[in-house]
Amino acid sequence: MAPIPLSEAPLHRPVIVAGYAGEDFAIERFRELGFTLGTVLVVRRRAPLGGSFEVECRGLRIGVRAEEAATIYVLIPNGNGSH
Amino acid sequence: MATAATEAAQRTVALVGLPNSGKSTLFNALTGLRQRTANYPGVTIEPFLGALEQDGVRVTLVDLPGIYSLSPKTEDERLAVSFLQGELPKAPKADRILVVVDGTQLERGLVLISWIALLQRPTALVVTMIDELKARGGVLDAEGLEHRLGIPVFTVVGRRGIGVEEVRRSLLSWEPWGIPLLSLPPGAPPEERYRWATELAAHVLRFPEPDHRSERIDRIVLHPVSGLLVFGLVMLLFFQTIFTVAQPAMDAIEAAIGWLQHALEAWLPAGVGRNFLTHGILGGVGSVVVFLPQIVLLYVVLTVLEDSGYLARAAFLVDRLLGAFGLQGRAFLPILGGFACAIPAILSTRVIPSRQERLATMLIIPLMTCSARLPIYTLLVAATVPAVYIGGIFSLQALVMMGLYALGAVTGLGVAWILRHTVLRGAKTPFVVEFPPYRLPTWRNVVGRAWSSGREFLRTAGTIILALSIVLWALTELPPVAIPPGTPPLEAQRLQLEGSLAGQLGRLIQPLFAPLGFDWKTTIALLGSFAAREVFVSFMGQLYAIDVEAAESTLREVLAQTFPLPVALSVLVFYVYALQCISTMAVLRRESGSWGWVGLAFAYTFALAYGLSFLAFHITRWLVE
C-alpha cells in the first residue's frame, strides 16, 4: 500500500511513519519530537473548529496543524493489530 | 577563605529540560522566591536566575527555556542552546547541567540527555512526576538508570517538594557528577537516539498505562460543542478576574495615593517643591503601582491556565481562527491579556515560538482596549452619547462601548494579516502543541510566577513610567506662570496649565488636530495622554475645572453641554487606535530588540487613529446636521 499523508489517516487506527515531504527544519522538529521513521502514530481527533489534529506519538498527545500533518507520510499496516 | 568563597560564588548550574517537564516547578521548589531575571546584553529573552545558599556556599541556578535538542528552532531555544554552549558573551558558563525529565515521558527525556552528553559537562538527572508515574502503574529503577548513564539520578515530586532536598544537597555540596555514558556516535540521527532511549528505558522502567483521566477530560474539553462552551466559560472567568477582582485593589491604591497627596499638601508649605513631591513623584508612583494588581492577577490566571494543561488545549482549539490571520493558537492569551494591559500581554508573547508570529502578535496587542482607556471611554460616552434604549432593550451607550472594544480587536486581526503578508512574511514554524496531562496547579508556582512578574514590571516598566511622569509634571508646571494674587485656586490651576510648556505646545500643534475636530483643550489633554492614556481625564478635569465650579456640576455634565457628539466620537476613535503609552513602547523595544518595531507600531497606530478619527468626525457631523 502506498504511503498517505498523516492528515488523511483514519481516526483511531495505528499508522507507521514512512517518510516526510516538508521543509528540512520542520521535519527535524517532528523527528526530535519522536515522529521518527517507523514510529507508530494514532490520530485521535480533529480540532473542534477544524484545522488541526490531535496525534498520539510515543505516549504523548500532540496537536498538529493539518498543513503540517500533510507533510508526514504514513503507512496503514495490513490486518488487525499487527505492527 | 576569600578564594574559596569567590570560586563558590561563581558556581553556575544550568537547568535544562523538555517543555512541560516540570522544570520550572523544580526551580521554584529549589530557589523559592529568591529569583531574578538575568540581563544578558543582546538577548531579548531573559532566563530566570535563582540562588541556593548555605554556609557561605552559593550556587546559581539558571532556568533555561525548554529544548528538544541542540539544534534550536525558536528564539527561546536559541537562547538556551547558546547559553549551554557558552556562546553568550556576557553570561557565565554553566559549570554543570541539571537535566529535568518527566518520568511519564522518560524515553523523550533520555533522547534529550543524548544531546546534552555532547556538551561533555558534569551532569545529573532529575526525574519528576514520580507520583503520576506510580499512579499510572509505572515503576522506575533509579539506581539502574544511574548505573547505566553514569550520572546521579534523583527522583522528585516537585509540586509537593518530595525529593527536592536531596537535589539541593547535591547542588550545595558540589559532590562530583558524571558525564553521561552513551553508546551513540556524536552525529547519530534522531532515529538512532530514540532506539537507544527505548532500549535503555525498557531496562529501567515498567512503562505506565496511558493517561485515561486526561483523555476523559479531553472528551469534554475538546468536544466540538462542549469544548467551545468550556472555552467561552474560561474566557468569561478570565475577564471577570482581571476586571472585577482587581478593581477594589486598584481603587484602594488610588485612594491611598490621593490620601498621601492631601496629607503632604496639608503639611508642607505651598510651592514648586511641594507640587513636585505630590504630583510629580507621588502621582508618578501612583500611576505605576495602580497597574500592579491587574498585572499580578493576569499572571496568576495565566499560570493557572498553563500549569493545569488547559492553555495547550485552548491554543489547539483556536489555532484555526487565529491561523486565518497569520497568527497561531498560542497568541490568543497574549491578545486577551491586552484587554487588561498591553505590558504583561507583550511579555507573555514569549510563549510563541516563531519570531515573525511573535512580533506580529506584539505589534497588534496595543490595539486591544486596555483598562487605561476605560476611564476615557466612560467619561466621553456617558457625557455625549444619548442615554436611549434601542428597541427598549439595548442601551445605546453600552453598544457604543462594545463597538469601541470590537473596533480595536477586529482592526488588530486585520493588521496582523497585513503584517504577516508583508514585513513579517517569513517562514512558519510548525504549529505543534503538546498536551500535558491535566494537573492541579500548585500555589508555590502560581505565587512564585506572579511575584517575580510583578517585580519585573516594577523594575522595567515602572522606572520608565515614573521618569516620564516626572517629565510630564515638568511640562505642565514649568515655566511657573505669574498668577495675580487673589485668583481662585481652580482658576490658578487652569492658568498654569495653559501657560505651561504643555499648554503652549498644545496650542502650537492644535492646527494639526483641527481636521479631527479637536480644540486646544482636547489637544493638550491628548498630548498628556502620550505618557499614559488615563492622564486625559485628569487634564480635562483641570482644564474645565473653572467651568465645572461655575456651573456647580460635574465634568461629565459640563462636557455634555460643551462637547459635541462628533468631536467626542472622534476623540474616542483616536483612543481606540493611538499607541499613547510610553511604557508599552518601552516594553515593545525590549521584547522586539529594536526601536524600529516600536517606530512601526507608533506610526501605523497613529495613521489609523488620525485617518479614522477624521472619518468619524466628518461622517457623524454630516449625519447629525
Side-chain angles (χ1 to χ4, degrees), chain B residues 5-191:
Chain B
T6 338
E7 195 188 312
Q10 285 164 349
R11 283 175 183 169
T12 302
V13 177
L15 198 58
V16 180
L18 295 166
N20 304 312
S21 55
K23 187 170 54 64
S24 294
T25 308
L26 178 71
F27 178 74
N28 286 330
L30 280 169
T31 63
L33 296 179
R34 308 181 56 191
Q35 306 174 3
R36 61 194 173 85
T37 51
N39 197 356
Y40 304 141
V43 175
T44 52
I45 298 151
E46 299 171 343
F48 274 99
L49 301 184
L52 287 94
E53 225 165 345
Q54 200 172 44
D55 305 331
V57 179
R58 189 187 166 89
V59 177
T60 303
L61 207 56
V62 186
D63 186 14
L64 293 174
I67 53 171
Y68 295 95
S69 68
L70 294 181
S71 27
K73 309 277 183 297
T74 68
E75 251 183 295
D76 273 27
E77 295 171 25
R78 237 183 310 281
L79 166 88
V81 172
S82 319
F83 182 88
L84 287 172
Q85 293 177 331
E87 286 165 357
L88 292 182
K90 291 280 163 62
K93 295 219 182 331
D95 302 303
R96 296 181 167 193
I97 301 171
L98 189 59
V99 183
V100 183
V101 164
D102 174 351
T104 66
Q105 292 288 326
L106 190 66
E107 213 182 345
R108 281 195 174 78
L110 291 174
V111 169
L112 178 62
I113 293 200
S114 82
W115 294 108
I116 297 297
L118 298 175
L119 298 167
Q120 293 287 303
R121 220 77 60 81
T123 304
L125 172 63
V126 176
V127 184
T128 59
M129 322 277 178
I130 288 296
D131 53 342
E132 242 171 75
L133 180 72
K134 276 188 193 145
R136 284 164 50 187
V139 180
L140 174 72
D141 170 15
E143 269 176 46
L145 188 58
E146 199 168 272
H147 186 69
R148 281 170 192 271
L149 283 174
I151 59 174
V153 174
F154 304 93
T155 55
V156 305
V157 182
R159 9 185 316 115
R160 285 197 225 132
I162 300 169
V164 174
E165 209 35 55
E166 282 75 16
V167 183
R168 189 200 313 275
R169 210 170 298 143
S170 179
L171 283 165
L172 284 167
S173 71
W174 211 242
E175 62 178 8
W177 290 356
I179 291 167
L181 295 171
L182 302 186
S183 51
L184 276 172
E191 276 76 9

Side-chain angles (χ1 to χ4, degrees), chain B residues 54 160 169 204 212 227 262 302 346 361 392 413-414 422 518 527 581 602:
Chain B
Q54 200 172 44
R160 285 197 225 132
R169 210 170 298 143
V204 296
H212 293 300
H262 282 297
L302 272 174
I346 288 172
T361 312
L413 290 176
T422 54
F518 298 0
L527 269 184
C581 178
F602 185 82

Side-chain angles (χ1 to χ4, degrees), chain B residues 391-614:
Chain B
I393 311 168
F394 299 109
S395 141
L396 183 62
Q397 293 185 340
L399 284 177
V400 170
M401 286 287 268
M402 224 173 74
L404 293 169
Y405 271 82
L407 196 59
V410 171
T411 316
L413 290 176
V415 169
W417 188 90
I418 295 170
L419 287 171
R420 292 285 286 138
H421 287 82
T422 54
V423 279
L424 293 172
R425 193 169 0 216
K428 272 197 207 165
T429 38
F431 174 74
V432 283
V433 49
E434 294 163 43
F435 295 169
Y438 286 101
R439 295 179 178 125
L440 272 181
T442 61
W443 279 111
R444 201 205 306 259
N445 236 22
V446 173
V447 171
R449 189 86 65 87
W451 169 269
S452 41
S453 309
R455 226 176 34 177
E456 169 88 355
F457 166 74
L458 286 184
R459 191 172 67 88
T460 55
T463 43
I464 295 168
I465 302 176
L466 181 59
L468 284 161
S469 307
I470 292 171
V471 170
L472 190 69
W473 171 86
L475 281 176
T476 53
E477 294 295 330
L478 301 177
V481 175
I483 290 159
T487 315
L490 284 172
E491 173 71 1
Q493 222 174 51
R494 188 177 63 93
L495 286 175
Q496 172 59 43
L497 188 53
E498 280 182 42
S500 68
L501 287 170
Q504 292 170 19
L505 202 62
R507 284 173 191 274
L508 193 70
I509 63 162
Q510 190 268 334
L512 177 68
F513 289 101
L516 312 186
F518 298 0
D519 62 6
W520 65 269
K521 285 181 184 173
T522 314
T523 309
I524 293 176
L526 194 86
L527 269 184
S529 296
F530 275 93
R533 294 182 182 91
E534 59 278 16
V535 167
F536 181 85
V537 176
S538 63
F539 265 38
M540 290 301 261
Q542 283 182 36
L543 288 165
Y544 283 94
I546 195 77
D547 310 82
V548 171
E549 207 185 48
E552 282 181 19
S553 62
T554 61
L555 176 61
R556 183 191 300 175
E557 283 165 28
V558 169
L559 286 180
Q561 274 150 35
T562 56
F563 226 64
L565 180 65
V567 179
L569 283 181
S570 172
V571 173
L572 285 170
V573 170
F574 196 88
Y575 275 88
V576 167
Y577 291 110
L579 175 47
Q580 294 159 298
C581 178
I582 295 186
S583 334
T584 301
M585 292 189 237
V587 173
L588 204 53
R589 155 71 185 82
R590 216 184 56 143
E591 294 296 305
S592 67
S594 103
W595 283 109
W597 294 113
V598 184
L600 176 68
F602 185 82
Y604 97 76
T605 52
F606 188 83
L608 279 175
Y610 196 92
L612 293 168
S613 289
F614 180 83

